[in-house]
Amino acid sequence: MAAELVAVALHDAVQPQVVATVLFVSAACTVALAALLAVLRLRPPWWCACPVCEAYLTASWAGEFDNLCDWYAHLLRASPAQTVHVHVLRNVLTANPATVDHILRGRFDNYPKGAPFSAILADFLGRGIFNVDGDAWLFQRKLAAAELASPALRAFAVRVVASELRSRLIPLLHSASREGKGKSKGKVLDLQDVFRRFAFDCICKISFGLDPGCLELSLPVSSFENAFDMASTLSARRATVPLQVIWKLKRFFNLGDERKLRNSVRLVDRLAEEVIRQRRKLGGAASGSDLLSRFMGSIDDDKYLRDIVVSFMLAGRDTVASALTAFFLLISDHPEVAAAIRDEVVRVAGDEDHRLTASTFNKLKDMHYVHAALYESMRLFPPVQFDSKFAAGDDKLPDGTAVAKGTRVTYHAYAMGRMESVWGPDCGEFRPERWLQDGRFVPESPYRYPVFQGGARVCVGKEMALMEMKAVIVAVVRSFDVEAIERSSRRPKFAPGLTATFAGGLPVRVRRRARVSGHAQPANLTQGE
């Protein structure tokens, strides 16, 4: 009896609280809805009904263009100033070389990455070099630049790339060509995936002094690479949201894309932690000449080291793989360029059993047509299609565009490569000869060709990346024909991400080339004569 009385008393006490809670939640929802309707009626500052903003918000541009970058390129070509303003994003985009010079060099101090940009990429890149300004950026840049300029590291990088080509990439392509021999269709490879794995192995060895195969991971390396790709894609997607508070709320409540991003970043963290652990196991700063060991000698903060590791992976894996994938897509459409590359390789390095030796690596700098073809490929398909800064103060761009403090200002390298005003009426054509004068490569201003950025933030790994990519091009083009399957460089489809990625990869068939006398053997790379 007493128990029943207690139960009734508890029920009577709790019931009013439940009713009050329900009423409170209902009232809060009503107030929130009323506030939202009021905001929509008042049209907040970010609202804009101009044709550009309307097309962006409704995605009506997709009816005519396959990619957002192609729509932006169209808008920039149509603009007399080669600059457009997407008001709903508070974003000024430009393809004007004078404006790029202004941003990257003339008013460099007024155009940092900025807190809004850092917030977008903070979960993925943290305090890595691509996501910081000021002293943190300068510290990482100086340390990386000093190490990358070291003759010892450059020689080590050559040995790593040679080894990866000899023991992994070339045998893989050779195997694919043999499996396809005599078949009507032949084996199909995703060359984008192949280049990502190749570049990942190279960056792990060069920057961390580790072979990915030695990492003690709970899942296959491919799972962590997939998580890396997902984190890149979802981080980039944050920047496309008109109201940043939307993704921040989803992040707070761990919903939708933000839940996926959090799970992906956890896997990326585990990969970076294992890299750091293995480096320490091998002796850390005292035992290695790699980049990570150099940083470990100056930093005693594993979270900071994690951010540096992830930044190296993004720079060394994604950008190199993107550039090589686009190059071989273009070569598939332009076999005459592949033929010209083979002629130059034979002329400069000889054709003794297709061997790419240490001496041949030294001769890469004399292969001006190879260099021109790679630059021309990146003109049309830059690995990083655009780069953004945030104005620290009010400014006026050289084209007359007023920029308010806090505005995102973006130079669009992808669009710049397609501007007649910059590259002439044949800007849409893949023509390596545009970079040559009397057979020698002649560079353009970095503000006309900002693929490696320019000014104080110019890419510190530029020369090493060019060496790696040119070595791959020479080794593959001289020994194989690569045919893209149901893909064309004239109408690419990109997947969202921090670097340019082809949606669905790049499926190809590979055929070993026959030589005039006998059959071509796969390029045999040795580390010495």
Side-chain angles (χ1 to χ4, degrees), residues 494-506:
F494 297 107
L498 299 177
T499 56
T501 302
F502 292 100
L506 179 60

Side-chain angles (χ1 to χ4, degrees), residues 20 47 63 76 87-88 96 103 115 130 147 174 241 279 299 369 373 375 384 405 417 422 427 466 470 478 491-492 520:
W47 180 273
L76 290 164
H87 305 95
V88 294
N96 187 325
I103 296 166
F130 301 119
E147 190 63 27
H174 183 209
V241 179
R279 186 64 263 169
I299 299 172
Y369 189 86
Y375 262 60
V384 180
K405 178 181 178 180
V422 179
C427 60
L466 287 171
K470 287 161 68 176
R478 77 192 312 193
R491 192 166 182 176

